[in-house]
Amino acid sequence: MAAEIHSRPQSSRPVLLNKIEGHQDAVAAAVLIPREDGVITVSEDRTIRVWLKRDSGQYWPSIYHTISAPCTCMSYHHESRRIFIGQDNGGIVEFLISEDFNKMNHVKTYPAHQNRVSDLLFSLESLWLISTGHDKSVSWMCTQSGSMLGRHHFSCWASWCGLCLCAGGCLITLLKLEQNTYNIITTLKGHEGTIGTLYWDPVQQLLFSGASDHSVIMWDIGGRKGRTLLLQGHHDKVNALRYLQLTRQLISCSADGAITVWNMDTRRLEAPQWLDSDSCQKCEQPFFWNIKQMWDTKTLGLRQHHCRKCGQAVCGKCSSKRSTYPVMGFEFQVRMCDACCDTIKEEDRTPLATFHEGKHNITCMDIDPSRGLMVTCGSDRVVKVWDMTQVVGCSIATGFSAR
C-alpha cells in the first residue's frame, strides 16, 4: 500500500508526493506509467506489481503477480503494453498488460543467460530483446520466434545502455548489433571505479556513465572529437542517471540518497589529463621513487599529488590549497596547486548543480518528463514518487518529449 505525503506546493526542491511500501525484499526496478497515475515495480521477492493511484490519493496494487525467480530488472514498452522482466536464474519472462492495467497475461519465456540478468531492453523497431547478465555476456533475441540471434562475451559481467555496453568494471564497450553478428566500435576508459549505470541520449548522442568512484562522465559520442566532461558532486556510488534533453539537465542519484541536478546548458571545461613526472613540476623536488635525484641532492623523496585544474604532478607543499571549480565539474573542494588556486575568482566558484536529499539508499530511478514526476527505489524496499517540476524548471511540464 502507499501513503499520500503532500500535495504539490511551490518549492525549489523535490517534493515527496507518495511512498509505496509492502515489498518483502529489495525493489529491483520501478517505472512510471506514461499518461497514467501508475507505477510498475518488480522485486527480489519475485513479485510484479502495477500500482494505480486511487481517489484517496494513495497507490494500491491493481496487479500482483508472482514468478518463479527473483526479479532483477525490467523493460516496459507503453504503446504495446509489453513488459519484460529479467530474473536471477538468467531467464526473461514477457507479459502483456491489459488496457485497464488490471490484468496481465504471460506471453513467452526466454532462456537468455546462465546467470542473473543485469539489464534488458526491448526494441519495437527491430522486435529484438537485448539483455546482459552475470554470465559475462550480452545476448539479442527475436521476440517473434523467441530464438537467439547472437551473443557476445566479456571478461566480467556487464550492463547495457542501448548500443553501449559496460564491461570490465571501469570500461565501456560500444557495440553495433546486427542480425547474427556484431561489431565493436570502440572502448571508453575514464572511471577509476566500477561503472554502475549508463544513460544514452539519442538526440545529441551523449553517453553518461556513473560509477563507484562517485563521479559522472559525459561522453560526447556524436561530436566525434573525444570530448568528455567529468562531474563530481556525489559522496557515494552513482546508481542512476537521466538526461533531460529539453531542459539540458542531468539528474544523478547515488547510494547515499543524494539527488543531484546538473546544469548542462552552460559553458563547461574538460578536466585535464594527469601528467607523469619523477619530480614536482613546481619546485622540482624528487618524488619518493626517484632514487637517483634523492641521492644526488641528498633529500628525502616526497609524495606525488595532482592539481585538478592544470593536471601537473606536484608535491603537498606546492598544492596546499583547495577550491571548488564547477566549470570543470568539481562541485566539492579539490586539491589544486597554489598558482592555479590563485587564478580562480569568486564568480568561478558559483555552483552549476543543485543538491537534494532522497532520504533513502537510491538504487534505481525513472522520470516522466512530461509531468515532472520521478520515482526512486531504495534498498529499504520503499518506492518514492517525487514532484520535480520546481527543481528542473517549468519547461519540463510542457508535455513535449525530449526524445
Side-chain angles (χ1 to χ4, degrees):
M1 65 183 63
E4 184 180 19
I5 305 298
H6 214 293
S7 58
R8 299 179 179 223
Q10 300 295 312
S11 69
S12 59
R13 63 180 185 273
V15 176
L16 181 61
L17 300 177
N18 294 90
K19 288 171 64 176
I20 300 176
E21 300 174 298
H23 295 91
Q24 302 303 310
D25 209 332
V27 181
V31 297
L32 292 159
I33 303 175
R35 300 183 295 276
E36 296 283 346
D37 283 328
V39 178
I40 303 175
T41 62
V42 297
S43 171
E44 298 271 358
D45 64 9
R46 302 187 294 118
T47 63
I48 306 163
R49 311 186 197 197
V50 177
W51 306 79
L52 296 182
K53 191 174 183 179
R54 306 304 183 184
D55 293 339
S56 63
Q58 298 181 356
Y59 285 87
W60 289 88
S62 62
I63 296 177
Y64 184 107
H65 186 83
T66 303
I67 57 177
S68 60
C71 306
T72 59
C73 53
M74 163 178 51
S75 178
Y76 172 64
H77 186 265
H78 181 64
E79 301 306 323
S80 63
R81 300 189 310 283
R82 298 171 74 175
I83 184 171
F84 301 83
I85 295 95
Q87 297 178 276
D88 188 64
N89 61 8
I92 298 174
V93 289
E94 177 187 355
F95 293 91
L96 181 64
I97 300 178
S98 63
E99 291 187 18
D100 60 4
F101 295 96
N102 285 316
K103 182 176 64 173
M104 67 180 190
N105 297 315
H106 177 262
V107 177
K108 199 180 275 99
T109 298
Y110 303 85
H113 297 275
Q114 300 298 316
N115 207 329
R116 181 184 179 96
V117 181
S118 55
D119 225 328
L120 54 86
L121 169 70
F122 169 63
S123 171
L124 183 64
E125 180 180 358
S126 61
L127 294 177
W128 285 4
L129 180 62
I130 308 168
S131 63
T132 57
H134 285 204
D135 59 357
K136 306 177 184 179
S137 74
V138 53
S139 66
W140 52 106
M141 295 166 289
C142 175
T143 57
Q144 290 180 303
S145 64
S147 61
M148 180 75 67
L149 298 176
R151 186 186 296 273
H152 172 70
H153 289 274
F154 295 93
S155 59
C156 73
W157 68 271
S159 62
W160 66 269
C161 178
L163 297 184
C164 307
L165 293 110
C166 162
C170 58
L171 299 178
I172 300 173
T173 303
L174 273 68
L175 299 178
K176 181 180 180 181
L177 306 181
E178 299 179 1
Q179 184 70 31
N180 294 304
T181 185
Y182 63 90
N183 293 312
I184 298 178
I185 301 174
T186 188
T187 299
L188 307 175
K189 183 177 182 181
H191 286 286
E192 297 180 1
T194 302
I195 297 171
T197 181
L198 297 170
Y199 185 80
W200 170 251
D201 173 50
V203 177
Q204 293 184 275
Q205 294 190 314
L206 300 175
L207 173 65
F208 298 89
S209 58
S212 60
D213 59 7
H214 309 170
S215 68
V216 176
I217 296 180
M218 187 204 81
W219 311 81
D220 187 359
I221 306 298
R224 300 182 182 276
K225 295 182 180 179
R227 182 171 180 259
T228 62
L229 295 178
L230 176 66
L231 305 173
Q232 292 191 342
H234 287 279
H235 294 295
D236 209 333
K237 177 182 178 182
V238 181
N239 284 329
L241 295 168
R242 179 68 183 267
Y243 179 64
L244 305 177
Q245 201 275 334
L246 187 64
T247 57
R248 301 295 195 273
Q249 290 170 298
L250 175 70
I251 299 178
S252 57
C253 302
S254 56
D256 60 357
I259 302 171
T260 303
V261 181
W262 306 85
N263 178 13
M264 304 303 294
D265 191 24
T266 186
R267 182 181 72 96
R268 289 188 177 272
L269 301 176
E270 291 188 69
Q273 295 291 322
W274 287 2
L275 303 177
D276 293 325
S277 179
D278 292 327
S279 58
C280 175
Q281 294 181 298
K282 295 296 183 181
C283 68
E284 299 184 351
Q285 290 293 307
F287 294 131
F288 63 84
W289 61 83
N290 190 348
I291 305 299
K292 184 179 185 303
Q293 186 178 350
M294 289 167 55
W295 177 264
D296 292 342
T297 59
K298 301 297 188 292
T299 58
L300 293 175
L302 304 175
R303 182 181 176 186
Q304 177 183 257
H305 302 281
H306 284 90
C307 172
R308 285 358 182 232
K309 188 173 185 291
C310 67
Q312 288 189 325
V314 291
C315 67
K317 184 178 179 181
C318 294
S319 59
S320 60
K321 297 183 179 180
R322 306 288 186 274
S323 177
T324 62
Y325 196 45
V327 72
M328 203 171 278
F330 301 117
E331 294 289 339
F332 303 146
Q333 289 193 349
V334 292
R335 180 185 296 272
M336 292 187 183
C337 66
D338 296 349
C340 283
C341 195
D342 292 340
T343 64
I344 298 179
K345 302 176 182 179
E346 193 59 37
E347 54 265 30
D348 295 332
R349 296 185 174 92
T350 302
L352 298 178
T354 58
F355 305 93
H356 313 278
E357 180 56 57
K359 297 185 179 179
H360 69 157
N361 180 336
I362 299 176
T363 57
C364 61
M365 168 262 289
D366 182 45
I367 292 180
D368 183 349
S370 65
R371 293 180 291 169
L373 295 179
M374 179 176 74
V375 61
T376 60
C377 303
S379 58
D380 55 0
R381 307 176 187 177
V382 175
V383 177
K384 296 184 178 182
V385 181
W386 304 85
D387 174 17
M388 297 289 289
T389 54
Q390 300 304 314
V391 178
V392 295
C394 60
S395 57
I396 191 174
T398 58
F400 295 97
S401 173
R403 304 181 68 169

